[in-house]
Amino acid sequence: MTESHGQTIAAVPTVMIVDDEEMVTASISALISMELEYRTVAFQSPRLALDHLHRQPVDMIISDFLMPEMNGLEFLDHARKLYPDVPRVILTGYADKENAIRAINEVGLYHYLEKPWDNDHLTVLVRNGVHQKNLHETLRDHIRRLERAQRRADELSETADRLRDELELARRLQRRLMPDRLPADGSVSVAVHYEPAMEIGGDFYDIIELAGNRMGVLVGDVTGHGIQAALSTALLKFAFAQFAGRDVRPCEILSGINDVLYTALPDGIFAAAVVVAIDRVSGRCHIANAGTPHPMVLRRHFAKCERLPAEGLLLGVADPKAFRPGQEHGIDLQPGDGLLLYTDGLTECENGDGEMFEQRAFGAALAKNIPRRGNELLDEIVASVRTFRNGRMAEDDLTALVIEMIEDRSAE
C-alpha cells in the first residue's frame, strides 16, 4: 500500500520468475499479468535475479529447481535471508519432486509446483501467496504498533508512579504546614474539619500566638489543587508566620500577606483568607476578611446565629501600594459563644438540582446544631453537607473551623 495526495492506494504486487528456460518465464509472466494483473520480473540467471533483489523487493518468487549457475533451493535460500516474509515457490520436474519436497523445510518454501504446471493452480497459488505475504506484513505492522504502544504505556506508568510519589510527598508536606495540635487552654478552644477534594487541596488553616495574650487564626483558600496548591499554601504559611508574637491587627496581617503573595505567586494564582485575632481573657475578637464567606457568630445562650458581613479584596491580586484590606470588625465572644470560619467548599457545594448548600440547608443545619460544641458541631454540619450532595462528589476543598470561648472559665 502507498499514499498519494493523502489517499491510500494499493500497490500492484510484483512476482519474480527465475528459470533458465525463457519459454517458462515468458509463459508464467503472461499468465500472471493476464489473470491477476500483477507486475512480473523475469530472469534466466539466478545471480542476476539476486542482484535485482538487492536493489528492489518483490512480493513473491517462483524459481526453477535445476539451473546451471545455482540450483533453485540455493537461490531461494539467499532470497529468504533478504525477505523472510516473501513467499517462495520451487518449480520441479517429476524426477526432482522427492528432493524438492525434502528441501522445502530447509529453506522454508511456501509451495512447490510440478512441471508442466496447471495454469489455474498456479494462478490460485500466486494470489494466495501474495495475500499471505500482505497478511504477514499487516500482522508485523500491528505487532510493531503494539510494541510501541506498550513501551509508551510503560513510560506513562513510570511517569504516573513518579507523579504519585511527588504528590504524596507534597501532601505530607502540606499537612505538616498545618497545626498538628489545636489550642485548648481552658479559655479558648479550636476545632477544625479539613477535607481536600483531591489528594492535595488549596485550603489551609493556621494558628499563631500574637502579642498581648492573643491568638491569631487564619483560614485560607488558594486557587488550584495538587503540587501548585501545596507550594502556594507553604507561601501562605510563611507570610502568616512572620506576624507571630507581634502586636498587629488582622487587617495589617492581611496587608502583609498580600505583599508576599503578590510578589511570589504566578499570574492567575491568588488566595482568599480570613484572619481572626482573639483575646483569650476578654473574648474580644477582631476579624478581617479577604474573600472567604462571611463568618458566623454562634450565640448559644440565645440559640442564635449571626452572619458577620466582613469582606475585602482577595490576596495576591492587587499591588501592595494599591491593596486596601476590608473593614475590620470587632465582636465580643461570651463564654459559650463560637465563631465559625469556613471556605466556599462548604457553602457552595451543590445538589443534583444545582442548588447550593448555603441557599437551601446551611441556615437550618446551623440552627439545628447550635447547642453542639467543637468537633461535634463540625461533624454534624459536614454530615448535612454530604446529605445535601446526595452522593455527588465534592468539587472543592472543604474547611470549617470553630473558635469557642469555654463556658466554665470560673474553674480556672
Side-chain angles (χ1 to χ4, degrees):
M1 305 289 280
T2 60
E3 288 191 355
S4 176
H5 303 292
Q7 293 183 330
T8 301
I9 57 176
V12 176
T14 300
V15 178
M16 170 177 278
I17 302 131
V18 183
D19 196 300
D20 57 337
E21 294 183 47
E22 186 174 0
M23 182 191 70
V24 172
T25 59
S27 299
I28 296 177
S29 294
L31 176 67
I32 292 174
S33 299
M34 290 177 60
E35 296 296 328
L36 300 175
E37 297 184 350
Y38 292 172
R39 291 182 63 245
T40 59
V41 287
F43 295 90
Q44 277 71 59
S45 163
R47 297 194 183 282
L48 293 178
L50 278 178
D51 290 343
H52 180 90
L53 288 177
H54 279 289
R55 297 191 306 272
Q56 193 171 343
V58 298
D59 297 284
M60 189 169 185
I61 302 171
I62 300 172
S63 172
D64 188 17
F65 183 38
L66 294 177
M67 294 181 288
E69 297 174 329
M70 180 188 304
N71 72 46
L73 294 178
E74 290 175 319
F75 165 68
L76 291 177
D77 191 35
H78 286 300
R80 178 180 65 167
K81 293 170 183 173
L82 292 174
Y83 305 105
D85 288 338
V86 171
R88 299 170 297 280
V89 175
I90 193 81
L91 277 173
T92 70
Y94 182 79
D96 304 318
K97 178 180 176 181
E98 290 187 6
N99 290 331
I101 292 175
R102 279 198 301 270
I104 281 178
N105 291 333
E106 296 177 14
V107 294
L109 291 186
Y110 173 65
H111 219 289
Y112 78 95
L113 203 62
E114 290 182 28
K115 293 179 180 178
W117 61 87
D118 178 87
N119 282 345
D120 292 339
H121 184 202
L122 177 58
T123 303
V124 171
L125 192 67
V126 171
R127 181 187 292 114
N128 290 344
V130 171
H131 181 62
Q132 176 180 290
K133 181 248 185 186
N134 291 337
L135 287 178
H136 282 169
E137 289 182 344
T138 301
L139 179 61
R140 284 182 185 276
D141 184 58
H142 286 318
I143 290 173
R144 284 192 293 269
R145 292 185 184 202
L146 285 173
E147 290 173 343
R148 286 198 296 270
Q150 183 61 51
R151 286 195 295 272
R152 181 59 179 157
D154 291 343
E155 291 170 358
L156 290 174
S157 177
E158 291 175 5
T159 301
D161 289 344
R162 187 170 63 253
L163 287 175
R164 194 177 300 110
D165 291 343
E166 291 175 355
L167 280 173
E168 174 57 22
L169 182 62
R171 186 190 67 80
R172 286 189 278 136
L173 168 65
Q174 188 184 50
R175 290 299 300 170
R176 295 197 64 174
L177 294 176
M178 300 182 214
D180 54 356
R181 299 179 63 182
L182 297 174
D185 56 7
S187 58
V188 177
S189 69
V190 177
V192 66
H193 178 90
Y194 173 77
E195 182 178 329
M198 298 174 62
E199 197 165 6
I200 302 174
D203 280 6
F204 177 74
Y205 66 92
D206 199 10
I207 299 170
I208 59 174
E209 294 296 325
L210 299 175
N213 200 30
R214 294 181 305 147
M215 180 174 67
V217 179
L218 175 143
V219 172
D221 180 1
V222 178
T223 51
H225 302 275
I227 293 176
Q228 170 258 306
L231 295 174
S232 298
T233 52
L235 200 60
L236 192 57
K237 165 85 174 180
F238 163 75
F240 185 52
Q242 66 181 332
F243 293 99
R246 294 172 56 181
D247 183 13
V248 289
R249 303 175 66 88
C251 61
E252 295 175 293
I253 294 176
L254 288 181
S255 293
I257 294 175
N258 181 74
D259 292 351
V260 173
L261 298 189
Y262 182 81
T263 303
L265 288 180
D267 292 341
I269 304 298
F270 49 85
V274 58
V275 172
V276 175
I278 179 169
D279 188 306
R280 285 188 168 86
V281 177
S282 67
R284 182 65 176 169
C285 288
H286 289 92
I287 304 160
N289 194 6
T292 70
H294 294 161
M296 299 295 293
V297 183
L298 311 177
R299 303 293 188 189
R300 290 199 170 95
H301 289 295
F302 302 96
K304 183 179 177 183
C305 301
E306 301 172 357
R307 184 184 299 275
L308 192 65
E311 54 192 11
L313 293 175
L314 293 168
L315 304 173
V317 177
D319 184 289
K321 294 178 181 176
F323 181 78
R324 298 289 182 273
Q327 182 183 2
E328 191 172 283
H329 294 258
I331 61 169
D332 290 308
L333 292 183
Q334 301 300 321
D337 286 348
L339 178 64
L340 179 64
L341 313 174
Y342 47 92
T343 57
D344 58 7
L346 178 103
T347 51
E348 295 183 4
C349 72
E350 297 183 349
N351 62 13
D353 296 327
E355 300 169 318
M356 289 197 295
F357 181 70
E358 183 177 32
Q359 297 170 324
R360 298 301 302 270
F362 187 37
L366 280 178
K368 177 182 175 183
N369 294 291
I370 194 170
R372 302 180 189 279
R373 300 290 199 274
N375 286 320
E376 187 181 5
L377 169 68
L378 296 179
D379 289 345
E380 290 298 325
I381 292 175
V382 171
S384 298
V385 169
R386 289 174 179 155
T387 300
F388 183 77
R389 286 204 306 254
N390 193 25
R392 289 165 56 89
M393 295 292 291
E395 296 181 356
D396 201 357
D397 312 321
L398 189 163
T399 300
L401 182 148
V402 60
I403 306 168
E404 295 175 314
M405 295 300 294
I406 294 177
E407 204 157 13
D408 187 16
R409 299 174 64 193
S410 60
E412 297 176 35

